[in-house]
């Protein structure tokens, strides 16, 4: 790791150096919310995490919950993985009307080293930023934002956003 990488992640995690209004809002209100933000379902997610098969931390499940509420996708793809039942619970808690699928969807949640389904999703969340599918997707993206840190990544492919990559601690 370069000596400046930690500093870039620290700055971007607080919104400094992010000139895109949508990315700034995403960082400040979803990825790194302050104590002023409270969500009603954190306790339910914690109970589900303990009851269902799961490899994800409470913080990561809460982050996925906030991402779902922020983007409000009509359909969510969860390809597979040991935490699939827990992720389905989080999706249904955040968006009861959302369609869960293993095929084409607006948003995909890729756990671990699973491959990204050929869904054409505009939002892809990776629980593992060393997933080879992330590098392939990042190379293929021509518009949108890629927000990543050493452990997680979020790819938003929207035509109205220029292609930018942010190193963010979230």
């Amino acid at each position: 790791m370069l000596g400046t990488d930690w500093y870039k992640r620290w700055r971007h995690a607080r919104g400094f150096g992010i000139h895109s209004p949508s990315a700034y809002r995403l960082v400040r209100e979803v990825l790194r919310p302050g104590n002023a933000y409270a969500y009603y379902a954190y306790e339910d997610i914690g109970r589900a995490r303990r009851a269902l098969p799961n490899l994800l931390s409470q913080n990561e499940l809460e982050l996925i919950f906030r991402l779902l509420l922020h983007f409000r996708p009509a359909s969510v793809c969860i390809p597979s993985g040991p935490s699939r039942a827990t992720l389905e619970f989080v999706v249904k808690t955040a968006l009861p009307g959302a369609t869960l699928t293993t095929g084409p969807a607006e948003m995909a949640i890729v756990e671990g080293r699973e491959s990204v389904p050929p869904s054409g999703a505009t939002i892809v969340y990776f629980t593992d930023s060393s997933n080879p599918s992330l590098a392939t997707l990042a190379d293929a993206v021509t518009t949108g934002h890629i927000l990543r840190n050493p452990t997680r990544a979020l790819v938003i492919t929207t035509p109205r956003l220029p292609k930018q990559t942010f190193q963010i601690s979230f």
Side-chain angles (χ1 to χ4, degrees):
M1 177 186 336
L2 296 174
T4 60
D5 284 352
W6 72 269
Y7 180 67
K8 288 178 185 175
R9 279 194 308 276
W10 180 87
R11 278 179 39 86
H12 287 160
R14 284 148 185 81
F16 300 113
I18 297 178
H19 301 291
S20 166
S22 61
Y24 179 82
R25 182 173 173 249
L26 180 68
V27 168
R28 298 295 291 170
E29 296 177 7
V30 180
L31 299 179
R32 299 275 310 221
N35 293 336
Y37 292 92
Y39 290 88
Y40 59 89
Y42 284 176
E43 289 181 22
D44 294 339
I45 291 169
R47 281 193 290 277
R49 180 178 174 267
R50 290 185 294 277
L52 298 170
N54 182 43
L55 295 178
L56 302 175
S57 70
Q58 178 73 19
N59 288 340
E60 185 142 32
L61 292 171
E62 290 172 1
L63 171 62
I64 292 168
F65 179 77
R66 292 190 307 267
L67 287 168
L68 289 163
L69 290 177
H70 178 77
F71 289 110
R72 299 216 173 266
S75 55
V76 178
C77 172
I78 305 171
S80 62
S83 303
R84 182 177 168 85
T86 307
L87 289 170
E88 288 177 350
F89 175 82
V90 171
V91 171
K92 284 302 181 186
T93 301
L95 306 169
T99 304
L100 285 165
T101 180
T102 56
E106 289 180 37
M107 180 176 184
I109 301 170
V110 181
E111 182 181 4
R113 308 288 286 182
E114 298 289 329
S115 62
V116 177
S119 64
T122 56
I123 305 147
V124 182
Y125 177 78
F126 290 89
T127 64
D128 182 358
S129 65
S130 64
N131 187 323
S133 297
L134 174 60
T136 305
L137 182 60
D139 289 341
V141 168
T142 56
T143 61
H145 294 329
I146 301 167
L147 301 106
R148 63 181 304 167
N149 67 26
T151 56
R152 305 177 193 130
L154 176 65
V155 179
I156 307 161
T157 55
T158 305
R160 61 184 172 81
L161 298 174
K163 182 176 180 178
Q164 291 180 297
T165 301
F166 299 103
Q167 298 293 329
I168 297 181
S169 178
F170 61 93

